[in-house]
Amino acid sequence: MAYTQINPATGKKFRLISAPVVKKDAKALVTGKPVYTDDLAPKDCLIVKVLRSPYAHALIEEIDCKVASRVPGIECILTWKDVPQKRFTMAGQTYPEPSPYDRLILDQRVRFVGDAVAIIAGETEAAVDHAMRLIKVKYQVLEPVLDMHDSKDGKILVHPEDNWKALCNVGADNKRNLCASGGETHGDLEAAFAGCSHIVEKTYHTKANQQAMMETFRAFTYMDVYGRLNVVASTQVPFHVRRILAHALDVSKSRIRGIKPRIGGGFGAKQTVVAEVYPAIVTMKTGKPAKIIYSRYESQIASSPRHEMEVKVKLGCDDNGILQAMDVYTLSNTGAFGEHGPTTVGLSGHKSIPLYGKAEAFRFVSDVVYTNVMSAGAYRGYGATQGLFAVESAVNELADKLHMDPFEIRFKNIVKEGDVMPAYYGQVNTSCALDRCLAKVKEMIKWDEKYPMRKISDTKARFVGMGMAMQGSGISGVDVGSATLKLNDEGVYTMNIGAADMGTGCDTILAQIAA
């Protein structure tokens, strides 16, 4: 039901503000109009596929593509000898990227089961599949490091190469298998713990989670009349795609244009440039349009899951339940490559510790290690989820030790608006309604009637629990956003924005805001 609002200054009615409006692309989506990446690809695109490693860690000694290249319809087969040897990161992050430059388009060393070995491009999918089966690869199989606990300073190096580099000081060291490491403290932690009457110390483990958006990873590329490489991709980060591919292909950014059509789901995985580089190098080599469509299987075994993390939490409080000390150590498994490794691990502490404003002292230490498994990346919550699960679980265990209601221990300790947050870069909390939020949740769930459990029958009981979270968008002090409004000759405005609508409706909502 539509409704209007009166502007008190003019007495006129708003048509778009505070009114439900139909999403701009709703009709196109429900009627099946061509709006997604593969819908828009030229019919004469070369079909691109990737031959993948069957080994977790190996060196490619020989690749014989002679027979495969003679398959009718095959345009080209590329190996590590045919692509630029300039390292880059696939992480869609503001320059200078915190994630190390540790990838090549194709590498002689493969680092996980599913790593790229060769790129095959042909006129039909059948021809490409046939050629892929005819490629002969001789591997020198190496011992992998599969457990993140064995990685740091271990005998097996995932990235022994000399041209590996980190652009930012995030504690990265490839000769120690470290994608990132760091630590920060505030106050006298030992003294604070010594004054605590109750201490909880626990270790929590979260596994890697894979995401399964309805539209798998995909992109198509072509050269335009200006000699630019146009990259049309299902991506959350079209501007980052441009810079990342410029690094990977060793060309100027001015020669690349990124285009984002409607995305069939992202969840964070499409903040990594998973697939775009493969058709891009084919188009650069052949001059012909090319496209890659990941199968569901490929999307599961060679993309961008959530980081596996182990979080050790030590909390101490006084007899009244006031937290005095918090100590968090996070070990994060970035897998074969370091996409988003340094930044996700930061959120595991920076979005969990600052929730509690009463602590006199805290310490947050982290290590992000390479292993020979599929590389991780961004996924809904971006590292905060792992740290919040651990810290909130520990707070609940501390409350249990004190025989205190979990809501009560939080009410006593939560950060308030106006508080300085030492564990969040020393920033002031300028906007926060956490205290009111907690009170409202407790009321709505009828906590006092249900906590800790209600017996339903002799065999069934219902329990209630609670946890808090804080989250934001972007990297503080680094990422920026902008919008440009232009008045046209008919009195209509054009708005240019860099946001990527992933089904969230931002194309419509930002137009409402502009209106």
Side-chain angles (χ1 to χ4, degrees):
M1 184 178 74
Y3 59 93
T4 58
Q5 180 173 326
I6 304 298
N7 182 339
T10 64
K12 293 182 178 179
K13 294 180 179 180
F14 287 128
R15 290 186 297 111
L16 296 172
I17 307 301
S18 291
V21 298
V22 176
K23 286 176 61 179
K24 287 181 171 293
D25 55 0
K27 188 173 181 179
L29 293 173
V30 299
T31 57
K33 298 294 184 186
V35 294
Y36 296 100
T37 299
D38 196 29
D39 299 332
L40 308 175
K43 299 301 181 185
D44 61 345
C45 270
L46 294 172
I47 304 301
V48 177
K49 292 198 175 188
V50 177
L51 177 67
R52 300 189 178 278
S53 169
Y55 301 108
H57 197 193
L59 289 174
I60 301 169
E61 293 185 338
E62 297 175 17
I63 303 183
D64 184 352
C65 304
K66 296 187 187 69
V67 176
S69 63
R70 290 198 292 267
V71 171
I74 291 300
E75 182 71 26
C76 68
I77 299 175
L78 305 176
T79 72
W80 64 274
K81 297 177 182 179
D82 306 311
V83 300
Q85 296 298 294
K86 184 177 180 183
R87 295 207 176 266
F88 64 102
T89 177
M90 286 186 175
Q93 296 178 304
T94 301
Y95 184 86
E97 301 100 314
S99 301
Y101 280 23
D102 54 14
R103 274 193 187 264
L104 295 175
I105 300 171
L106 294 170
D107 204 330
Q108 187 178 11
R109 181 185 294 267
V110 288
R111 295 176 174 84
F112 69 97
V113 175
D115 204 355
V117 173
I119 303 167
I120 305 99
E123 295 173 0
T124 66
E125 186 174 7
V128 172
D129 287 341
H130 183 43
M132 188 181 295
R133 290 191 294 268
L134 297 175
I135 298 173
K136 306 294 184 184
V137 186
K138 182 181 178 183
Y139 297 95
Q140 178 191 341
V141 180
L142 305 173
E143 185 181 355
V145 52
L146 301 176
D147 188 328
M148 63 179 178
H149 300 92
D150 300 331
S151 180
K152 182 179 175 181
D153 297 322
K155 61 186 179 74
I156 303 165
L157 287 181
V158 179
H159 285 277
E161 63 270 9
D162 293 330
N163 60 350
W164 176 100
K165 66 178 179 180
L167 276 66
C168 297
N169 181 19
V170 292
D173 186 346
N174 62 315
K175 298 305 166 70
R176 300 182 63 199
N177 277 337
L178 285 173
C179 169
S181 64
E184 56 191 283
T185 59
H186 172 77
D188 189 334
L189 192 70
E190 289 188 14
F193 272 120
C196 292
S197 55
H198 303 277
I199 293 175
V200 163
E201 190 168 5
K202 298 285 184 178
T203 299
Y204 303 89
H205 179 227
T206 64
K207 295 182 179 181
N209 305 135
Q210 186 55 292
Q211 34 208 327
M213 68 294 295
M214 291 183 72
E215 182 191 33
T216 61
F217 300 91
R218 55 195 60 199
F220 71 87
T221 54
Y222 63 93
M223 303 300 295
D224 65 20
V225 295
Y226 304 105
R228 292 179 304 187
L229 175 71
N230 283 247
V231 183
V232 183
S234 180
T235 179
Q236 298 174 224
V237 287
F239 293 98
H240 293 317
V241 166
R242 180 169 171 257
R243 185 190 64 254
I244 290 166
L245 291 187
H247 286 313
L249 300 169
D250 201 13
V251 298
S252 167
K253 284 189 293 184
S254 63
R255 291 187 58 194
I256 300 176
R257 182 184 179 210
I259 302 169
K260 178 212 75 69
R262 160 61 61 198
I263 306 174
F267 308 145
K270 291 176 183 174
Q271 195 182 334
T272 299
V273 182
V274 170
E276 289 85 334
V277 71
Y278 303 118
I281 187 66
V282 169
T283 295
M284 291 287 286
K285 291 282 187 179
T286 66
K288 296 182 178 182
K291 75 172 180 179
I292 190 167
I293 305 292
Y294 269 40
S295 67
R296 182 61 62 189
Y297 176 73
E298 280 183 296
S299 292
Q300 291 296 300
I301 61 100
S303 59
S304 186
R306 194 194 298 276
H307 288 77
E308 174 193 20
M309 291 189 188
E310 182 180 87
V311 186
K312 297 180 179 179
V313 182
K314 184 179 179 181
L315 305 178
C317 70
D318 60 19
D319 287 328
N320 295 316
I322 304 298
L323 286 171
Q324 304 296 313
M326 303 181 70
D327 192 5
V328 175
Y329 169 70
T330 304
L331 176 64
S332 177
N333 184 0
T334 194
F337 301 100
E339 282 94 19
H340 301 282
T343 40
T344 50
V345 80
L347 267 63
S348 73
H350 294 145
K351 293 294 176 72
S352 58
I353 301 172
L355 283 168
Y356 298 93
K358 301 293 186 183
E360 295 290 325
F362 80 86
R363 177 171 59 190
F364 173 48
V365 178
S366 61
D367 287 315
V368 184
V369 295
Y370 286 112
T371 58
N372 291 114
V373 300
M374 173 175 37
S375 56
Y379 182 11
R380 294 184 69 109
Y382 202 80
T385 47
Q386 296 94 311
L388 286 163
F389 161 69
V391 169
E392 289 301 284
S393 296
V395 169
N396 284 336
E397 298 207 36
L398 188 60
D400 187 61
K401 198 170 187 177
L402 289 161
H403 304 292
M404 184 178 288
D405 188 306
F407 268 97
E408 184 182 350
I409 196 170
R410 286 174 171 84
F411 275 120
K412 288 184 174 185
N413 288 285
I414 55 172
V415 65
K416 301 285 183 66
E417 192 168 308
D419 288 353
V420 176
M421 299 182 290
Y424 195 75
Y425 314 108
Q427 292 190 7
V428 176
N429 187 347
T430 57
S431 175
C432 181
L434 183 57
D435 50 351
R436 285 167 282 161
C437 178
L438 280 175
K440 189 66 175 176
V441 167
K442 187 178 182 184
E443 173 194 337
M444 290 177 69
I445 203 173
K446 298 180 180 178
W447 179 268
D448 291 333
E449 299 175 23
K450 298 176 180 178
Y451 176 77
M453 58 84 74
R454 285 188 303 165
K455 188 175 179 181
I456 305 301
S457 69
D458 291 339
T459 57
K460 291 183 180 179
R462 286 182 183 159
F463 290 78
V464 289
M466 66 89 55
M468 303 187 305
M470 63 179 281
Q471 183 60 306
S473 181
I475 301 173
S476 180
V478 176
D479 288 334
V480 297
S482 63
T484 303
L485 277 175
K486 182 178 73 172
L487 177 61
N488 300 309
D489 54 358
E490 291 185 319
V492 176
Y493 287 91
T494 299
M495 179 172 64
N496 294 321
I497 55 170
D501 194 331
M502 293 179 286
T504 50
C506 73
D507 288 352
T508 304
I509 294 162
L510 289 167
Q512 285 182 277
I513 293 171

